């Protein structure tokens, strides 16, 4: 999952970036509204953490611009302001959730997980596909109850497919959502990660849909590809 942070406080922004990366997200960091708006308009994200008090363009204006442009990723608004009017303004501008500074990082991560789950139609923090289970809170993956160790990139790819279970996901979409902006994006590595995941979780856990991409679904689904 790929996250955009738009936060003008350098220390806080970098701390959030480091923490989210350690949690398993691909993260881009912007420090002003103009650059943040550009990234949100031109790149693909699963969620955005947006500060309201930004230089160049304020956060509410950035959020309103994204929504007018049809960018519908979930947005968690951050602000030092804690009045009810600021909360209402943020939600009315298109925010999906609100967190006032100071806050606990664990709460921000939990809120992001919930936003991403809801955006992909998943209510539970535990995602399942047949015998495969992925706990988004702990990052734990099991196969028939037994823990399976995945690399960071393997986990990111599996997590994205499980959040979008039953849908065909192209290589391009996977690249856009599991790598951050500065990563050397090589589409050939996607096939490598898929092969590794199949070796660890079973050959049929991920289907290749020829000419379209990949799909993950329950093993007994008759519509699965080859």
């Amino acid at each position: 999952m790929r996250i955009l942070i738009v936060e003008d406080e350098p220390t806080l922004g970098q701390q959030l970036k480091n923490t989210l990366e350690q949690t398993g997200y691909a993260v881009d960091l912007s420090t002003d509204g103009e650059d943040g708006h550009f990234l949100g308009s031109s790149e693909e994200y699963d969620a955005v953490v947006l500060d309201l008090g930004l230089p160049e363009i304020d956060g509410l204006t950035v959020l309103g611009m994204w929504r007018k442009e049809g960018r519908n990723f979930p947005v968690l608004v951050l602000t030092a302001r804690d009045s009810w009017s600021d909360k209402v303004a943020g939600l009315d501008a298109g925010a999906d959730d609100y967190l006032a500074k100071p806050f606990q990082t664990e709460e921000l991560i939990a809120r992001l997980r919930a936003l991403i789950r809801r955006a992909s139609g998943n209510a539970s923090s535990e995602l399942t596909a047949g015998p495969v289970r992925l706990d988004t809170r702990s990052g734990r993956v099991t196969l028939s109850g037994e823990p399976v160790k995945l690399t960071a990139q393997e986990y990111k790819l599996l997590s994205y497919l499980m959040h979008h279970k039953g849908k065909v996901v192209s290589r391009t979409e996977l690249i856009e959502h599991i790598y951050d902006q500065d990563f050397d994006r090589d589409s050939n590595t996607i096939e490598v990660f898929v092969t590794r995941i199949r070796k660890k979780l079973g050959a049929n856990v991920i289907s290749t849909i020829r000419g379209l991409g990949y799909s993950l679904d329950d093993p007994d689904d008759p519509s699965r590809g080859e």
Side-chain angles (χ1 to χ4, degrees):
M1 294 296 175
R2 189 178 176 196
I3 307 294
L4 171 63
I5 300 172
V6 190
E7 168 60 62
D8 65 321
E9 295 181 30
T11 301
L12 175 59
Q14 193 60 51
Q15 287 175 345
L16 290 176
K17 184 177 190 294
N18 293 342
T19 301
L20 288 171
E21 287 177 339
Q22 292 168 7
T23 307
Y25 295 103
V27 184
D28 293 329
L29 174 62
S30 175
T31 57
D32 67 72
E34 185 175 359
D35 181 62
H37 169 255
F38 173 76
L39 287 175
S41 298
S42 59
E43 299 284 338
E44 297 297 325
Y45 294 101
D46 296 288
V48 175
V49 178
L50 177 67
D51 183 43
L52 290 188
L54 297 170
E56 306 298 336
I57 308 174
D58 69 87
L60 283 177
T61 300
V62 170
L63 179 54
M65 293 165 67
W66 281 336
R67 295 314 192 212
K68 287 180 181 178
E69 294 162 359
R71 308 298 281 176
N72 59 2
F73 40 62
V75 175
L76 173 63
V77 166
L78 294 183
T79 182
R81 293 168 284 185
D82 196 22
S83 72
W84 67 266
S85 59
D86 290 325
K87 294 179 181 180
V88 170
L91 294 171
D92 282 347
D96 298 273
D97 202 355
Y98 194 106
L99 197 57
K101 301 175 184 177
F103 55 83
Q104 295 295 322
T105 305
E106 291 81 1
E107 181 180 1
L108 180 140
I109 293 172
R111 288 176 179 269
L112 277 178
R113 283 198 303 259
L115 287 176
I116 292 170
R117 286 200 313 268
R118 290 200 294 267
S120 59
N122 296 288
S124 173
S125 62
E126 187 175 72
L127 309 179
T128 63
V132 179
R133 294 180 180 270
L134 186 151
D135 190 328
T136 60
R137 295 167 299 182
S138 64
R140 187 170 183 260
V141 177
T142 60
L143 177 65
S144 299
E146 295 298 319
V148 177
K149 186 175 181 179
L150 301 178
T151 67
Q153 295 299 341
E154 291 166 1
Y155 177 86
K156 290 177 184 178
L157 190 150
L158 178 67
S159 175
Y160 190 82
L161 289 176
M162 291 193 74
H163 273 87
H164 298 84
K165 187 173 75 169
K167 300 177 182 178
V168 179
V169 180
S170 68
R171 285 191 184 189
T172 299
E173 183 176 344
L174 284 170
I175 290 169
E176 289 174 339
H177 287 268
I178 71 172
Y179 296 134
D180 61 42
Q181 186 184 26
D182 298 326
F183 199 92
D184 182 15
R185 303 177 182 184
D186 182 357
S187 64
N188 292 327
T189 61
I190 297 297
E191 181 61 37
V192 173
F193 295 144
V194 169
T195 299
R196 290 177 181 175
I197 292 171
R198 285 170 172 161
K199 287 181 179 179
K200 295 178 180 181
L201 298 178
N204 296 323
V205 66
I206 298 174
S207 297
T208 298
I209 312 300
R210 291 187 179 90
L212 296 176
Y214 302 97
S215 179
L216 184 149
D217 212 326
D218 292 313
D220 56 354
D221 186 337
S223 65
R224 285 168 59 90
E226 298 298 327

